[in-house]
Amino acid sequence: MNKYQTTYLISFSLLIVLLISSCKHHKDDEYHSITDKIKAKSKHYKGTSITSEKYTDHIKTIEISADGLKFLIPDRKGKIKSYACTECHTKPLKDMQSTDIKKAHWNIKLNHANQETMNCTTCHNGKDMNNLKSLTGHTIDFNKSFKLCSQCHQKEYKDWTGGAHGKRIGGWAPPRVSMTCVNCHNPHSPGIDTKWPARFNTEKTKERK
């Protein structure tokens, strides 16, 4: 056996040893990767007894299904206690704009996208003001306004359904109750202004002066 064959044999033997050592055994479960190990370890997981219900039971919620996940969100329509939209919107918008009807929210300024891309009727249907509408004209319930936002903000929507974007109410223990887009963002002006921390760093304040 020449030196090249010897080197090859040693290399091959080391490879076999490495392959064998990479396969670990835990009781009766064999795993070849961290994913297999997680699956094996969690096979008999029966959940947790911790609950966040005492922190959320005062909130009226509805169950939704988004991206195959089911969780709770705060009810929004229940807060419209005085008047439904159609109690005032009894005429087409162009007719209401030309009359002396007392106006409740004509002063809303849309600061969401440029006017060539978006206006009031992008989200609101003048013929059905009690509901929102999608870009393709489908009806969207006010309680499910996240469906409207997801049309343009798909990345944020995916993060929200997965729990990485937004805020959970009551912590991470089940049941999951998550704020929606409009609980944190004004839909007409969704950008959040820069804010100082609640407690100032006095030394930094002096330095900035």
Side-chain angles (χ1 to χ4, degrees):
M1 183 180 292
N2 59 41
K3 64 178 180 179
Y4 297 108
Q5 290 175 322
T6 304
T7 303
Y8 175 80
L9 185 60
I10 292 170
S11 300
F12 183 75
S13 301
L14 285 171
L15 178 63
I16 296 298
V17 170
L18 285 171
L19 287 172
I20 293 172
S21 63
S22 67
C23 297
K24 298 182 182 299
H25 296 268
H26 179 74
K27 294 184 179 179
D28 296 324
D29 294 313
E30 181 180 12
Y31 49 87
H32 299 271
S33 67
I34 189 65
T35 306
D36 289 343
K37 182 177 181 181
I38 290 170
K39 286 180 180 178
K41 292 277 188 179
S42 59
K43 185 180 289 185
H44 304 294
Y45 177 67
K46 299 190 180 347
T48 176
S49 60
I50 302 172
T51 175
S52 64
E53 286 180 335
K54 66 178 180 179
Y55 303 107
T56 59
D57 59 4
H58 64 288
I59 302 169
K60 185 179 179 183
T61 59
I62 61 168
E63 185 179 77
I64 63 160
S65 179
D67 273 3
L69 298 169
K70 287 186 177 181
F71 53 94
L72 303 171
I73 61 172
D75 169 69
R76 190 179 178 204
K77 286 168 65 176
K79 296 184 181 296
I80 307 174
K81 296 180 179 178
S82 298
Y83 304 101
C85 301
T86 49
E87 289 193 41
C88 294
H89 287 273
T90 55
K91 300 178 182 180
L93 282 175
K94 61 179 182 179
D95 294 339
M96 295 183 71
Q97 288 172 330
S98 61
T99 62
D100 273 338
I101 297 173
K102 186 177 283 188
K103 300 172 177 61
H105 45 236
W106 293 105
N107 60 340
I108 289 177
K109 292 182 179 179
L110 188 62
N111 183 26
H112 197 144
N114 65 62
Q115 292 183 352
E116 293 179 0
T117 305
M118 191 175 196
N119 59 30
C120 303
T121 57
T122 305
C123 303
H124 295 280
N125 182 352
K127 296 179 180 178
D128 181 15
M129 297 300 288
N130 283 341
N131 291 290
L132 300 165
K133 75 175 181 73
S134 72
L135 294 172
T136 53
H138 290 88
T139 298
I140 295 178
D141 189 275
F142 266 103
N143 269 338
K144 296 182 179 179
S145 58
F146 58 87
K147 290 186 175 181
L148 193 68
C149 306
S150 70
Q151 296 175 119
C152 299
H153 304 284
Q154 187 63 209
K155 179 181 179 297
E156 288 78 6
Y157 171 73
K158 291 281 187 183
D159 287 344
W160 176 70
T161 56
H165 187 101
K167 180 176 173 58
R168 286 196 183 189
I169 304 171
W172 285 86
R176 174 182 169 183
V177 184
S178 290
M179 286 187 176
T180 65
C181 315
V182 294
N183 288 122
C184 298
H185 298 272
N186 178 343
H188 302 114
S189 183
I192 296 177
D193 293 333
T194 302
K195 297 180 180 179
W196 285 102
R199 183 174 178 178
F200 284 102
N201 182 322
T202 53
E203 291 303 315
K204 286 292 182 184
T205 305
K206 290 176 183 176
E207 287 176 14
R208 291 189 180 100
K209 289 180 179 179

